PDB file of all heavy atoms in Angstrom:
ATOM      1  N   VAL Y  53      -1.000   9.256  12.312  1.00  0.00           N
ATOM      2  CA  VAL Y  53      -0.563   7.990  11.691  1.00  0.00           C
ATOM      3  C   VAL Y  53       0.893   7.790  11.930  1.00  0.00           C
ATOM      4  O   VAL Y  53       1.395   6.720  12.342  1.00  0.00           O
ATOM      5  CB  VAL Y  53      -0.969   7.895  10.180  1.00  0.00           C
ATOM      6  CG1 VAL Y  53      -0.342   6.723   9.512  1.00  0.00           C
ATOM      7  CG2 VAL Y  53      -2.449   7.941  10.053  1.00  0.00           C
ATOM      8  N   SER Y  54       1.713   8.824  11.627  1.00  0.00           N
ATOM      9  CA  SER Y  54       3.136   8.732  11.816  1.00  0.00           C
ATOM     10  C   SER Y  54       3.545   8.462  13.228  1.00  0.00           C
ATOM     11  O   SER Y  54       4.516   7.693  13.503  1.00  0.00           O
ATOM     12  CB  SER Y  54       3.811  10.068  11.358  1.00  0.00           C
ATOM     13  OG  SER Y  54       3.637  10.241   9.997  1.00  0.00           O
ATOM     14  N   ALA Y  55       2.820   9.016  14.210  1.00  0.00           N
ATOM     15  CA  ALA Y  55       3.106   8.819  15.626  1.00  0.00           C
ATOM     16  C   ALA Y  55       2.976   7.295  16.033  1.00  0.00           C
ATOM     17  O   ALA Y  55       3.571   6.870  16.992  1.00  0.00           O
ATOM     18  CB  ALA Y  55       2.188   9.649  16.492  1.00  0.00           C
ATOM     19  N   LYS Y  56       2.137   6.565  15.200  1.00  0.00           N
ATOM     20  CA  LYS Y  56       1.949   5.158  15.505  1.00  0.00           C
ATOM     21  C   LYS Y  56       2.993   4.282  14.711  1.00  0.00           C
ATOM     22  O   LYS Y  56       2.898   3.075  14.701  1.00  0.00           O
ATOM     23  CB  LYS Y  56       0.565   4.690  15.114  1.00  0.00           C
ATOM     24  CG  LYS Y  56      -0.568   5.434  15.845  1.00  0.00           C
ATOM     25  CD  LYS Y  56      -0.685   5.075  17.316  1.00  0.00           C
ATOM     26  CE  LYS Y  56      -1.805   5.693  17.915  1.00  0.00           C
ATOM     27  NZ  LYS Y  56      -1.884   5.560  19.339  1.00  0.00           N
ATOM     28  N   GLY Y  57       3.903   4.947  14.006  1.00  0.00           N
ATOM     29  CA  GLY Y  57       4.917   4.276  13.211  1.00  0.00           C
ATOM     30  C   GLY Y  57       4.397   3.705  11.918  1.00  0.00           C
ATOM     31  O   GLY Y  57       4.886   2.706  11.437  1.00  0.00           O
ATOM     32  N   LEU Y  58       3.309   4.347  11.383  1.00  0.00           N
ATOM     33  CA  LEU Y  58       2.690   3.867  10.201  1.00  0.00           C
ATOM     34  C   LEU Y  58       2.801   4.872   9.064  1.00  0.00           C
ATOM     35  O   LEU Y  58       3.107   6.059   9.340  1.00  0.00           O
ATOM     36  CB  LEU Y  58       1.226   3.577  10.435  1.00  0.00           C
ATOM     37  CG  LEU Y  58       0.894   2.555  11.550  1.00  0.00           C
ATOM     38  CD1 LEU Y  58      -0.574   2.511  11.839  1.00  0.00           C
ATOM     39  CD2 LEU Y  58       1.414   1.158  11.172  1.00  0.00           C
ATOM     40  N   ASP Y  59       2.576   4.493   7.866  1.00  0.00           N
ATOM     41  CA  ASP Y  59       2.553   5.354   6.662  1.00  0.00           C
ATOM     42  C   ASP Y  59       1.098   5.536   6.269  1.00  0.00           C
ATOM     43  O   ASP Y  59       0.339   4.549   6.150  1.00  0.00           O
ATOM     44  CB  ASP Y  59       3.293   4.718   5.499  1.00  0.00           C
ATOM     45  CG  ASP Y  59       4.778   4.565   5.768  1.00  0.00           C
ATOM     46  OD1 ASP Y  59       5.352   5.511   6.334  1.00  0.00           O
ATOM     47  OD2 ASP Y  59       5.352   3.532   5.418  1.00  0.00           O
ATOM     48  N   LEU Y  60       0.744   6.787   6.025  1.00  0.00           N
ATOM     49  CA  LEU Y  60      -0.613   7.066   5.509  1.00  0.00           C
ATOM     50  C   LEU Y  60      -0.581   6.890   3.985  1.00  0.00           C
ATOM     51  O   LEU Y  60       0.043   7.614   3.243  1.00  0.00           O
ATOM     52  CB  LEU Y  60      -1.040   8.523   5.816  1.00  0.00           C
ATOM     53  CG  LEU Y  60      -2.367   9.005   5.409  1.00  0.00           C
ATOM     54  CD1 LEU Y  60      -3.469   8.127   5.939  1.00  0.00           C
ATOM     55  CD2 LEU Y  60      -2.606  10.441   5.796  1.00  0.00           C
ATOM     56  N   GLU Y  61      -1.274   5.868   3.483  1.00  0.00           N
ATOM     57  CA  GLU Y  61      -1.240   5.528   2.087  1.00  0.00           C
ATOM     58  C   GLU Y  61      -2.371   6.187   1.334  1.00  0.00           C
ATOM     59  O   GLU Y  61      -2.189   6.605   0.218  1.00  0.00           O
ATOM     60  CB  GLU Y  61      -1.359   4.012   1.886  1.00  0.00           C
ATOM     61  CG  GLU Y  61      -0.196   3.228   2.477  1.00  0.00           C
ATOM     62  CD  GLU Y  61       1.084   3.411   1.672  1.00  0.00           C
ATOM     63  OE1 GLU Y  61       1.051   3.953   0.545  1.00  0.00           O
ATOM     64  OE2 GLU Y  61       2.116   3.117   2.207  1.00  0.00           O
ATOM     65  N   GLU Y  62      -3.544   6.291   1.917  1.00  0.00           N
ATOM     66  CA  GLU Y  62      -4.738   6.797   1.195  1.00  0.00           C
ATOM     67  C   GLU Y  62      -5.777   7.323   2.114  1.00  0.00           C
ATOM     68  O   GLU Y  62      -5.920   6.744   3.233  1.00  0.00           O
ATOM     69  CB  GLU Y  62      -5.318   5.658   0.344  1.00  0.00           C
ATOM     70  CG  GLU Y  62      -6.430   6.045  -0.576  1.00  0.00           C
ATOM     71  CD  GLU Y  62      -6.927   4.839  -1.360  1.00  0.00           C
ATOM     72  OE1 GLU Y  62      -6.207   3.828  -1.459  1.00  0.00           O
ATOM     73  OE2 GLU Y  62      -8.061   4.950  -1.873  1.00  0.00           O
ATOM     74  N   ILE Y  63      -6.467   8.413   1.720  1.00  0.00           N
ATOM     75  CA  ILE Y  63      -7.611   8.906   2.433  1.00  0.00           C
ATOM     76  C   ILE Y  63      -8.718   9.007   1.402  1.00  0.00           C
ATOM     77  O   ILE Y  63      -8.536   9.543   0.290  1.00  0.00           O
ATOM     78  CB  ILE Y  63      -7.367  10.326   2.998  1.00  0.00           C
ATOM     79  CG1 ILE Y  63      -6.197  10.356   3.959  1.00  0.00           C
ATOM     80  CG2 ILE Y  63      -8.633  10.838   3.680  1.00  0.00           C
ATOM     81  CD1 ILE Y  63      -5.745  11.760   4.349  1.00  0.00           C
ATOM     82  N   GLU Y  64      -9.874   8.443   1.735  1.00  0.00           N
ATOM     83  CA  GLU Y  64     -11.040   8.448   0.776  1.00  0.00           C
ATOM     84  C   GLU Y  64     -12.252   8.747   1.509  1.00  0.00           C
ATOM     85  O   GLU Y  64     -12.546   8.202   2.544  1.00  0.00           O
ATOM     86  CB  GLU Y  64     -11.071   7.022   0.131  1.00  0.00           C
ATOM     87  CG  GLU Y  64     -12.243   6.897  -0.825  1.00  0.00           C
ATOM     88  CD  GLU Y  64     -12.331   5.508  -1.325  1.00  0.00           C
ATOM     89  OE1 GLU Y  64     -11.352   4.931  -1.778  1.00  0.00           O
ATOM     90  OE2 GLU Y  64     -13.447   4.911  -1.226  1.00  0.00           O
ATOM     91  N   VAL Y  65     -12.992   9.722   1.021  1.00  0.00           N
ATOM     92  CA  VAL Y  65     -14.340   9.998   1.537  1.00  0.00           C
ATOM     93  C   VAL Y  65     -15.355   9.715   0.479  1.00  0.00           C
ATOM     94  O   VAL Y  65     -15.248  10.158  -0.671  1.00  0.00           O
ATOM     95  CB  VAL Y  65     -14.478  11.535   1.990  1.00  0.00           C
ATOM     96  CG1 VAL Y  65     -15.879  11.764   2.454  1.00  0.00           C
ATOM     97  CG2 VAL Y  65     -13.476  11.852   3.035  1.00  0.00           C
ATOM     98  N   SER Y  66     -16.308   8.841   0.809  1.00  0.00           N
ATOM     99  CA  SER Y  66     -17.334   8.402  -0.145  1.00  0.00           C
ATOM    100  C   SER Y  66     -18.724   8.434   0.522  1.00  0.00           C
ATOM    101  O   SER Y  66     -18.810   8.568   1.710  1.00  0.00           O
ATOM    102  CB  SER Y  66     -16.996   7.029  -0.789  1.00  0.00           C
ATOM    103  OG  SER Y  66     -16.918   6.101   0.275  1.00  0.00           O
ATOM    104  N   ARG Y  67     -19.698   8.220  -0.278  1.00  0.00           N
ATOM    105  CA  ARG Y  67     -21.073   8.114   0.223  1.00  0.00           C
ATOM    106  C   ARG Y  67     -21.552   6.695   0.323  1.00  0.00           C
ATOM    107  O   ARG Y  67     -21.262   5.848  -0.539  1.00  0.00           O
ATOM    108  CB  ARG Y  67     -22.022   8.835  -0.715  1.00  0.00           C
ATOM    109  CG  ARG Y  67     -21.917  10.384  -0.568  1.00  0.00           C
ATOM    110  CD  ARG Y  67     -23.202  10.899   0.042  1.00  0.00           C
ATOM    111  NE  ARG Y  67     -23.035  12.303   0.401  1.00  0.00           N
ATOM    112  CZ  ARG Y  67     -23.252  12.767   1.602  1.00  0.00           C
ATOM    113  NH1 ARG Y  67     -23.639  11.982   2.545  1.00  0.00           N
ATOM    114  NH2 ARG Y  67     -23.052  13.990   1.874  1.00  0.00           N
ATOM    115  N   ALA Y  68     -22.279   6.423   1.379  1.00  0.00           N
ATOM    116  CA  ALA Y  68     -22.933   5.089   1.582  1.00  0.00           C
ATOM    117  C   ALA Y  68     -24.301   5.442   2.103  1.00  0.00           C
ATOM    118  O   ALA Y  68     -24.512   5.611   3.316  1.00  0.00           O
ATOM    119  CB  ALA Y  68     -22.146   4.249   2.551  1.00  0.00           C
ATOM    120  N   GLY Y  69     -25.213   5.558   1.180  1.00  0.00           N
ATOM    121  CA  GLY Y  69     -26.613   5.969   1.536  1.00  0.00           C
ATOM    122  C   GLY Y  69     -26.589   7.451   1.981  1.00  0.00           C
ATOM    123  O   GLY Y  69     -26.057   8.320   1.295  1.00  0.00           O
ATOM    124  N   ARG Y  70     -27.166   7.687   3.160  1.00  0.00           N
ATOM    125  CA  ARG Y  70     -27.149   9.084   3.669  1.00  0.00           C
ATOM    126  C   ARG Y  70     -25.860   9.412   4.415  1.00  0.00           C
ATOM    127  O   ARG Y  70     -25.643  10.577   4.749  1.00  0.00           O
ATOM    128  CB  ARG Y  70     -28.325   9.261   4.673  1.00  0.00           C
ATOM    129  CG  ARG Y  70     -29.674   9.250   3.911  1.00  0.00           C
ATOM    130  CD  ARG Y  70     -30.787   9.563   4.795  1.00  0.00           C
ATOM    131  NE  ARG Y  70     -31.098   8.386   5.610  1.00  0.00           N
ATOM    132  CZ  ARG Y  70     -32.055   8.401   6.558  1.00  0.00           C
ATOM    133  NH1 ARG Y  70     -32.777   9.385   6.785  1.00  0.00           N
ATOM    134  NH2 ARG Y  70     -32.285   7.259   7.184  1.00  0.00           N
ATOM    135  N   ARG Y  71     -25.083   8.442   4.675  1.00  0.00           N
ATOM    136  CA  ARG Y  71     -23.817   8.650   5.433  1.00  0.00           C
ATOM    137  C   ARG Y  71     -22.638   8.774   4.524  1.00  0.00           C
ATOM    138  O   ARG Y  71     -22.638   8.274   3.414  1.00  0.00           O
ATOM    139  CB  ARG Y  71     -23.535   7.467   6.338  1.00  0.00           C
ATOM    140  CG  ARG Y  71     -24.085   7.574   7.718  1.00  0.00           C
ATOM    141  CD  ARG Y  71     -23.506   6.507   8.509  1.00  0.00           C
ATOM    142  NE  ARG Y  71     -24.676   5.788   9.151  1.00  0.00           N
ATOM    143  CZ  ARG Y  71     -24.569   4.856  10.015  1.00  0.00           C
ATOM    144  NH1 ARG Y  71     -23.421   4.441  10.368  1.00  0.00           N
ATOM    145  NH2 ARG Y  71     -25.593   4.352  10.517  1.00  0.00           N
ATOM    146  N   ARG Y  72     -21.653   9.413   5.086  1.00  0.00           N
ATOM    147  CA  ARG Y  72     -20.309   9.375   4.391  1.00  0.00           C
ATOM    148  C   ARG Y  72     -19.452   8.355   5.039  1.00  0.00           C
ATOM    149  O   ARG Y  72     -19.629   8.000   6.229  1.00  0.00           O
ATOM    150  CB  ARG Y  72     -19.672  10.757   4.499  1.00  0.00           C
ATOM    151  CG  ARG Y  72     -20.414  11.853   3.687  1.00  0.00           C
ATOM    152  CD  ARG Y  72     -19.760  13.180   3.932  1.00  0.00           C
ATOM    153  NE  ARG Y  72     -19.912  13.560   5.341  1.00  0.00           N
ATOM    154  CZ  ARG Y  72     -19.161  14.476   5.888  1.00  0.00           C
ATOM    155  NH1 ARG Y  72     -18.247  15.154   5.260  1.00  0.00           N
ATOM    156  NH2 ARG Y  72     -19.334  14.733   7.184  1.00  0.00           N
ATOM    157  N   VAL Y  73     -18.462   7.857   4.305  1.00  0.00           N
ATOM    158  CA  VAL Y  73     -17.497   6.893   4.841  1.00  0.00           C
ATOM    159  C   VAL Y  73     -16.126   7.581   4.672  1.00  0.00           C
ATOM    160  O   VAL Y  73     -15.749   7.927   3.584  1.00  0.00           O
ATOM    161  CB  VAL Y  73     -17.533   5.557   4.077  1.00  0.00           C
ATOM    162  CG1 VAL Y  73     -16.490   4.618   4.596  1.00  0.00           C
ATOM    163  CG2 VAL Y  73     -18.937   4.929   4.243  1.00  0.00           C
ATOM    164  N   LEU Y  74     -15.395   7.667   5.752  1.00  0.00           N
ATOM    165  CA  LEU Y  74     -14.004   8.130   5.727  1.00  0.00           C
ATOM    166  C   LEU Y  74     -13.183   6.855   5.886  1.00  0.00           C
ATOM    167  O   LEU Y  74     -13.162   6.190   6.879  1.00  0.00           O
ATOM    168  CB  LEU Y  74     -13.693   9.081   6.886  1.00  0.00           C
ATOM    169  CG  LEU Y  74     -12.250   9.515   7.079  1.00  0.00           C
ATOM    170  CD1 LEU Y  74     -11.654  10.136   5.850  1.00  0.00           C
ATOM    171  CD2 LEU Y  74     -12.148  10.422   8.295  1.00  0.00           C
ATOM    172  N   ARG Y  75     -12.473   6.552   4.765  1.00  0.00           N
ATOM    173  CA  ARG Y  75     -11.611   5.309   4.723  1.00  0.00           C
ATOM    174  C   ARG Y  75     -10.161   5.751   4.762  1.00  0.00           C
ATOM    175  O   ARG Y  75      -9.671   6.543   3.907  1.00  0.00           O
ATOM    176  CB  ARG Y  75     -11.941   4.555   3.506  1.00  0.00           C
ATOM    177  CG  ARG Y  75     -11.193   3.201   3.482  1.00  0.00           C
ATOM    178  CD  ARG Y  75     -11.768   2.349   2.311  1.00  0.00           C
ATOM    179  NE  ARG Y  75     -11.130   1.140   2.205  1.00  0.00           N
ATOM    180  CZ  ARG Y  75     -10.181   0.866   1.360  1.00  0.00           C
ATOM    181  NH1 ARG Y  75      -9.805   1.722   0.463  1.00  0.00           N
ATOM    182  NH2 ARG Y  75      -9.589  -0.361   1.329  1.00  0.00           N
ATOM    183  N   ILE Y  76      -9.442   5.319   5.733  1.00  0.00           N
ATOM    184  CA  ILE Y  76      -8.006   5.632   5.898  1.00  0.00           C
ATOM    185  C   ILE Y  76      -7.230   4.333   5.740  1.00  0.00           C
ATOM    186  O   ILE Y  76      -7.410   3.357   6.451  1.00  0.00           O
ATOM    187  CB  ILE Y  76      -7.772   6.229   7.301  1.00  0.00           C
ATOM    188  CG1 ILE Y  76      -8.573   7.471   7.491  1.00  0.00           C
ATOM    189  CG2 ILE Y  76      -6.261   6.512   7.463  1.00  0.00           C
ATOM    190  CD1 ILE Y  76      -8.602   8.007   8.884  1.00  0.00           C
ATOM    191  N   VAL Y  77      -6.264   4.335   4.740  1.00  0.00           N
ATOM    192  CA  VAL Y  77      -5.462   3.170   4.494  1.00  0.00           C
ATOM    193  C   VAL Y  77      -4.069   3.445   5.005  1.00  0.00           C
ATOM    194  O   VAL Y  77      -3.444   4.462   4.646  1.00  0.00           O
ATOM    195  CB  VAL Y  77      -5.401   2.854   2.990  1.00  0.00           C
ATOM    196  CG1 VAL Y  77      -4.593   1.617   2.733  1.00  0.00           C
ATOM    197  CG2 VAL Y  77      -6.853   2.645   2.459  1.00  0.00           C
TER     198      VAL Y  77
END
Side-chain angles (χ1 to χ4, degrees):
V53 172
S54 294
K56 301 287 185 191
L58 302 171
D59 296 317
L60 180 59
E61 295 292 344
E62 185 180 341
I63 302 169
E64 178 185 308
V65 178
S66 60
R67 284 248 171 236
R70 289 186 283 181
R71 267 190 235 186
R72 292 176 297 161
V73 176
L74 171 58
R75 185 169 180 259
I76 301 168
V77 181

